[in-house]
């Protein structure tokens, strides 16, 4: 299968060395799951047969990753892109406001760190109650946030920050964990940075969901910038292993349906577009149908309490 593929997965100009063990449990019982060919360059996805963790292997080298998050990424000018939150800020605020409202039930104030803070939209809302800090890998989006929050925004990674232990009441990673090459290391760092009773909020995909299982290699979450794919069970186990005393899991999200519906209006052009609300509502409610780690969709949010 690989012999007919145009890419040399050992090319050091594109890929790092092949991992021979699972980045989560350390076992060597890993095997090829998919080759994702719809992007250029292509990439391989492996799975650990022991813990079920799914990961890109080999990973793209840092030079390739750096190119992924330039201006074009936010302007929808590449195959791998993400919506510029500034274009829909009024609508996205419905989600941010409700998310912070729910969060404040568990932590009312203090310092908040958003890892993967992009243009700072979530931090704007959080700053009404918390002292905001952000980390953003993209110089393009991070520079914009830095104009708002000054030195409280770090352009780079958690590895090159100098935050002190027990600095934060809340750390959020909203659709960020999957972008990390070393997620275990990051979770360990987050645990140290949180105060006692602090909260780590993670939103990512549950690869145990029927959605991921049915779509297989066509599942849209398999993207060039995504290195780590968790299941509900192995992420829960990892958080507990790293010391978090309690983990609360929400399916699909903690902030409910209404904010999602209101946010979706950002691209509505006429009344007929409100038909999308039916699809969004169905997705939301079937997400609650689950048994243990399995669910009908792949959306989840976890609150991990130190």
């Amino acid at each position: 299968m690989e012999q007919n593929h145009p890419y040399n997965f050992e090319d050091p100009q594109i890929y790092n060395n092949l991992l021979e063990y699972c980045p989560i449990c350390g076992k060597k019982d890993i095997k090829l799951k998919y080759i994702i060919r719809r992007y250029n360059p292509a990439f391989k996805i492996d799975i650990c047969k022991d813990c079920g963790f799914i990961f890109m292997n080999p990973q793209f080298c840092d030079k390739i990753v750096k190119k992924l998050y330039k201006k074009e990424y936010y302007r929808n000018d590449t195959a791998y892109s993400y919506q510029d939150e500034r274009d829909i800020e009024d609508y996205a605020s419905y989600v941010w406001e409700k998310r912070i409202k729910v969060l404040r039930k568990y932590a009312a104030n203090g310092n908040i760190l958003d890892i993967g803070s992009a243009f700072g939209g979530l931090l704007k809302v959080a700053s009404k109650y918390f002292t905001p800090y952000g980390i953003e890998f993209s110089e393009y989006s991070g520079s914009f946030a830095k104009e708002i929050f000054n030195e409280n925004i770090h352009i780079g990674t958690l590895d090159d920050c100098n935050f002190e232990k027990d600095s934060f009441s809340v750390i959020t990673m909203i659709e960020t964990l999957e972008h990390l090459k070393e997620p275990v290391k990051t979770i360990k760092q987050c645990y140290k940075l949180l105060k006692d009773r602090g909260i780590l909020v993670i939103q990512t995909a549950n690869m145990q969901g029927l959605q991921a299982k049915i779509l297989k290699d066509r599942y849209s979450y398999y993207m060039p910038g995504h290195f780590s794919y968790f299941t509900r069970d192995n992420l829960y186990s990892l958080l507990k292993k790293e010391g978090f005393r309690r983990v609360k899991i929400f399916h699909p999200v903690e902030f409910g349906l209404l904010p999602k519906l209101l946010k979706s209006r950002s691209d509505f052009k006429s009344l007929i577009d409100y038909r999308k609300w039916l699809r969004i509502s169905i997705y939301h409610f079937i997400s609650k149908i689950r048994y243990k780690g399995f669910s009908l969709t792949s959306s989840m949010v976890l609150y991990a309490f130190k």
Side-chain angles (χ1 to χ4, degrees), residues 259-273:
K260 290 199 292 185
L261 295 177
L262 295 175
K263 179 184 177 181
S264 72
R265 294 186 303 158
S266 63
D267 61 354
F268 285 11
K269 299 294 189 295
S270 66
L271 288 174
I272 200 169
D273 288 324

Side-chain angles (χ1 to χ4, degrees), residues 3 9 24 26 34 40 62 73 123 126 143 180 256 297 301-302:
Q3 293 177 349
F9 290 106
I24 299 301
Y34 304 124
N40 185 1
D62 291 345
Y73 173 70
L123 288 178
S143 295
L180 304 181
T297 69
V301 174
L302 296 90

Side-chain angles (χ1 to χ4, degrees), residues 11 48 72-73 90 144 154 169 189 194 200 217 225 229 299:
D11 184 351
C48 174
E72 293 77 13
Y73 173 70
D90 289 345
F144 181 87
H154 172 74
S169 299
Q189 291 170 319
L194 282 169
L200 173 62
D217 62 327
Y229 304 87
S299 297

Side-chain angles (χ1 to χ4, degrees), residues 289-304:
I289 302 174
R290 57 187 177 82
Y291 177 72
K292 295 183 177 179
F294 172 80
S295 62
L296 290 186
T297 69
S298 296
S299 297
M300 65 176 179
V301 174
L302 296 90
Y303 277 36

Side-chain angles (χ1 to χ4, degrees), residues 186-283:
T186 298
I187 287 174
K188 287 178 182 289
Q189 291 170 319
C190 288
Y191 185 85
K192 291 179 181 178
L193 291 176
L194 282 169
K195 296 180 177 180
D196 286 340
R197 306 312 218 186
I199 307 169
L200 173 62
V201 180
I202 296 173
Q203 180 171 343
T204 192
N206 173 19
M207 305 309 287
Q208 281 172 280
L210 185 63
Q211 182 182 13
K213 291 180 180 295
I214 288 178
L215 292 175
K216 297 183 178 180
D217 62 327
R218 295 178 291 110
Y219 185 37
S220 61
Y221 224 65
Y222 292 121
M223 299 178 177
H226 288 185
F227 300 102
S228 301
Y229 304 87
F230 286 88
T231 66
R232 178 186 184 273
D233 288 348
N234 59 33
L235 183 51
Y236 176 89
S237 296
L238 175 61
L239 291 166
K240 295 290 288 184
K241 179 183 175 183
E242 296 307 324
F244 288 94
R245 59 185 172 83
R246 182 165 72 96
V247 179
K248 184 176 177 62
I249 304 175
F250 301 87
H251 298 272
V253 288
E254 82 280 25
F255 51 78
L257 174 60
L258 182 58
K260 290 199 292 185
L261 295 177
L262 295 175
K263 179 184 177 181
S264 72
R265 294 186 303 158
S266 63
D267 61 354
F268 285 11
K269 299 294 189 295
S270 66
L271 288 174
I272 200 169
D273 288 324
Y274 280 89
R275 293 181 304 177
K276 296 178 183 178
W277 279 16
L278 178 61
R279 174 180 54 80
I280 295 170
S281 298
I282 291 173
Y283 181 93

